[in-house]
């Protein structure tokens, strides 16, 4: 992905220079620096460049199926998602939810099952179209995370480069849907935190951040450890750079992670007998570091 950096710098140099000039100009800067209005957001949604970027994402996301093969692409597609989802379907609606909780990736399967029920489609179609949804979702989340006060061109580059990243190829052809869902929640978490960077976190923001962190924990517990570590590093670095000005918000972020850590530890008792990559196994995996720090 880093190979794209020189290209991004070259393509965005003129735009960034113009933007910086408008920010420092003594006259007329207020109009250009104010947040986008609702009218501007609507016009952005109708921007032909954005429509082309979405079309490219859809093309790449559905590329393996243009010849309409009778199989699913991805090494984990069948034994992790399609076959368990078929077993969920055989149990009926109530029994299906109970069956999903017994599978290796319970929350991911529940989300796929709900999508199947809502859209009245087959398990095959849900598993086939999930990568397409995740590609577009991660692209928009990346744009949201990076946008700040940057121009639209920067956001479009972020969108396109997200679609063309290694995550897309590995996600599609490995069919690691749980990891991918966790990554989407991860991006949304940081995007929301970044969007509130210039103002204090509200109670509603904290609740959403807690929900996103818990979603990462339950969708793919192993990934949550890396996610929690990244949040902690971000909070510490911000406190060092910003000092007391950001202390309240950073303590809130650390508290969100701490609450989920307590929930994860409690689940050692609740889920001690479960198998697979669930919370109990992941917590036990991370405790190895405390038993032997050289494993860090």
């Amino acid at each position: 992905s880093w190979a794209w950096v020189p290209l991004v710098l070259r393509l965005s140099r003129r735009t960034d220079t113009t933007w910086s000039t408008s920010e420092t100009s003594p006259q007329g800067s207020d109009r250009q620096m104010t947040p986008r209005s609702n009218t501007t957001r609507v016009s952005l949604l109708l921007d032909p460049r954005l429509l082309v970027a979405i079309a490219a994402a859809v093309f790449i996301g559905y590329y393996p199926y243009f010849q309409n093969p009778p199989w699913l692409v991805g090494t984990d597609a069948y034994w992790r998602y399609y076959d368990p989802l078929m077993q969920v379907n055989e149990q009926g609606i109530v029994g299906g939810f109970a069956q999903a909780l017994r599978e290796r990736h319970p929350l991911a399967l529940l989300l796929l099952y709900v999508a199947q029920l809502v859209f009245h489609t087959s398990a095959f179609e849900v598993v086939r179209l999930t990568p397409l949804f995740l590609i577009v979702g991660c692209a928009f989340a990346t744009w949201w995370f990076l946008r700040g006060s940057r121009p639209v061109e920067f956001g479009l580059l972020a969108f396109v480069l997200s679609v063309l990243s290694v995550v897309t190829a590995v996600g599609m052809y490995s069919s690691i849907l749980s990891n991918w869902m966790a990554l989407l929640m991860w991006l949304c978490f940081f995007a929301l935190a970044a969007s509130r960077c210039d103002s204090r976190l509200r109670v509603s923001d904290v609740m959403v951040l807690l929900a996103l962190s818990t979603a990462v924990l339950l969708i793919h517990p192993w990934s949550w450890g890396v996610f929690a570590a990244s949040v902690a590093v971000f909070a510490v670095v911000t406190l060092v750079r910003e000092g007391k000005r950001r202390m309240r918000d950073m303590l809130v972020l650390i508290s969100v992670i701490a609450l989920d850590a307590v929930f994860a530890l409690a689940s050692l008792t609740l889920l001690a007998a479960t198998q697979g990559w669930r919370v109990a196994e992941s917590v036990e995996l991370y405790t190895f570091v405390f038993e032997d720090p050289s494993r860090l």
Side-chain angles (χ1 to χ4, degrees), residues 80-97:
R80 285 285 183 259
Y81 301 103
Y82 177 70
D83 290 340
L85 195 54
M86 290 297 292
Q87 296 182 23
V88 168
N89 284 317
E90 294 173 356
Q91 306 300 320
I93 295 180
V94 177
F97 283 98

Side-chain angles (χ1 to χ4, degrees), residues 186 190 224-235:
W186 186 327
F190 273 104
W224 185 85
V226 188
F227 162 77
S230 70
V231 174
V233 170
F234 166 73

Side-chain angles (χ1 to χ4, degrees), residues 167-288:
V167 173
T168 296
V170 174
M172 286 173 57
Y173 293 105
S174 295
S175 196
I176 47 176
L177 303 184
S178 295
N179 309 58
W180 212 346
M181 291 177 187
L183 176 61
L184 176 57
M185 299 297 103
W186 186 327
L187 283 169
C188 290
F189 182 98
F190 273 104
L192 178 59
S195 67
R196 303 299 185 191
C197 202
D198 294 329
S199 60
R200 308 190 86 180
L201 289 170
R202 299 171 298 188
V203 175
S204 59
D205 298 328
V206 177
M207 298 303 295
V208 174
L209 290 173
L210 181 60
L212 290 169
S213 174
T214 306
V216 175
L217 175 63
L218 295 179
I219 288 175
H220 202 265
W222 198 334
S223 296
W224 185 85
V226 188
F227 162 77
S230 70
V231 174
V233 170
F234 166 73
V236 171
V237 170
T238 302
L239 285 174
V240 171
R241 293 184 59 185
E242 304 286 344
K244 294 182 179 179
R245 194 164 67 92
R246 296 283 182 239
M247 181 174 292
R248 178 183 176 274
D249 289 343
M250 294 308 104
L251 290 178
V252 168
L253 293 183
I254 293 176
S255 299
V256 167
I257 298 302
L259 286 173
D260 273 332
V262 172
F263 173 69
L265 291 172
S267 69
L268 283 173
T269 301
L270 300 174
L271 302 175
T274 60
Q275 49 81 37
W277 291 20
R278 295 194 184 182
V279 178
E281 184 185 59
S282 299
V283 172
E284 290 173 355
L285 173 68
Y286 283 116
T287 57
F288 292 160

Side-chain angles (χ1 to χ4, degrees), residues 36 40 52 57 60 73 113 124 151 177-178 194 237 296:
R36 296 186 182 93
T40 306
V52 170
I60 291 175
V73 172
Y113 186 49
F124 185 92
L177 303 184
S178 295
V237 170
L296 181 60

Side-chain angles (χ1 to χ4, degrees), residues 21 23-24 87 99 105 121 137-138 173 190 199 235 240 261 275:
T21 303
E23 285 182 341
T24 56
Q87 296 182 23
Q99 177 64 32
H105 295 302
T121 186
C138 283
Y173 293 105
F190 273 104
S199 60
V240 171
Q275 49 81 37

